[in-house]
Amino acid sequence: YWWFSFYCNGMNVNDICQLQDKHLSGDTAEYLRAKTRYTETTVKPIHFKINDRISSIIGELRNENESPEKYLFNILRKGDSAHEIRKKVQNLTRVINTHMKKISKKLEFGKVITTYTARHSYATYMYRTGTSIEEISEALGHASIETTQRYLASFTDEVLQKQSEKLEEI
């Protein structure tokens, strides 16, 4: 699920849990973020292409229930209350974070990797490969560029530190 998040524009766990077959059309996915679905005045759908990696993860984890309103993954059930949904999302987040903590420790990353890291990693990767902040903001479903700039602030601080170190070498 961590990699699914990363490959799907840093999709958060709540949105992963609430993703349904109806959000997929051919090689494209489109959904509304659960976080802003009912709170923002103008909600723009998030789109992404379903590449081979995403398709592989879906194939491995897909809910086999035949109902047209089923969730893509077998985490939530039709009719779950808001409380049950929240509990299940929190539980999956905890499970992912526990596994990622073990992986990051074993690989000696020096930092704990979480579901939140997948979203930030996606944004940072896209920024480092030349994607504009406006495009990243849209892919993340941010209402404003300022939110995306906060995501990228730590990257900017890291670059400034490296630049400073280079100047000290002169």
Side-chain angles (χ1 to χ4, degrees):
Y1 290 110
W2 192 95
W3 281 110
F4 187 81
S5 171
F6 177 81
Y7 290 128
C8 298
N9 299 7
M11 182 186 289
N12 69 29
V13 176
N14 193 8
D15 292 326
I16 291 171
C17 291
Q18 295 196 41
L19 201 59
Q20 295 178 306
D21 276 336
K22 68 182 180 181
H23 297 123
L24 310 180
S25 178
D27 67 347
T28 305
E30 177 181 308
Y31 71 98
L32 298 176
R33 287 193 67 200
K35 180 178 179 179
T36 57
R37 192 178 309 151
Y38 304 111
T39 59
E40 300 291 329
T41 53
T42 307
V43 180
K44 293 185 275 183
I46 295 176
H47 302 84
F48 60 86
K49 289 289 185 187
I50 301 172
N51 63 30
D52 290 341
R53 291 179 178 174
I54 295 169
S55 184
S56 174
I57 294 168
I58 291 173
E60 184 178 335
L61 301 174
R62 178 180 224 120
N63 182 355
E64 296 303 325
N65 181 335
E66 296 296 323
S67 167
E69 291 294 313
K70 72 172 178 153
Y71 293 102
L72 187 62
F73 301 114
N74 196 19
I75 303 160
L76 303 179
R77 305 231 183 295
K78 183 106 172 104
D80 280 350
S81 68
H83 176 73
E84 289 170 319
I85 290 171
R86 185 167 182 245
K87 240 174 102 171
K88 289 177 179 182
V89 169
Q90 287 174 336
N91 186 52
L92 179 60
T93 302
R94 193 171 19 263
V95 168
I96 295 168
N97 287 343
T98 298
H99 286 287
M100 293 309 295
K101 183 177 181 179
K102 290 176 186 175
I103 291 168
S104 60
K105 185 176 180 178
K106 184 173 182 157
L107 296 176
E108 300 177 354
F109 283 164
K111 292 182 180 179
V112 175
I113 308 299
T114 66
T115 57
Y116 198 62
T117 310
R119 191 162 170 80
H120 280 260
S121 295
Y122 166 79
T124 302
Y125 176 79
M126 296 309 289
Y127 185 69
R128 287 181 176 174
T129 58
T131 305
S132 73
I133 292 176
E134 291 80 11
E135 290 172 303
I136 296 167
S137 183
E138 186 174 322
L140 292 171
H142 288 161
S144 72
I145 301 295
E146 290 77 21
T147 305
T148 309
Q149 288 171 326
R150 283 193 301 273
Y151 264 61
L152 299 171
S154 61
F155 167 67
T156 305
D157 292 344
E158 181 183 312
V159 168
L160 290 174
Q161 179 63 35
K162 286 181 181 177
Q163 289 171 344
S164 176
E165 289 168 8
K166 286 179 184 178
L167 287 174
E168 290 175 4
E169 293 172 4
I170 298 176

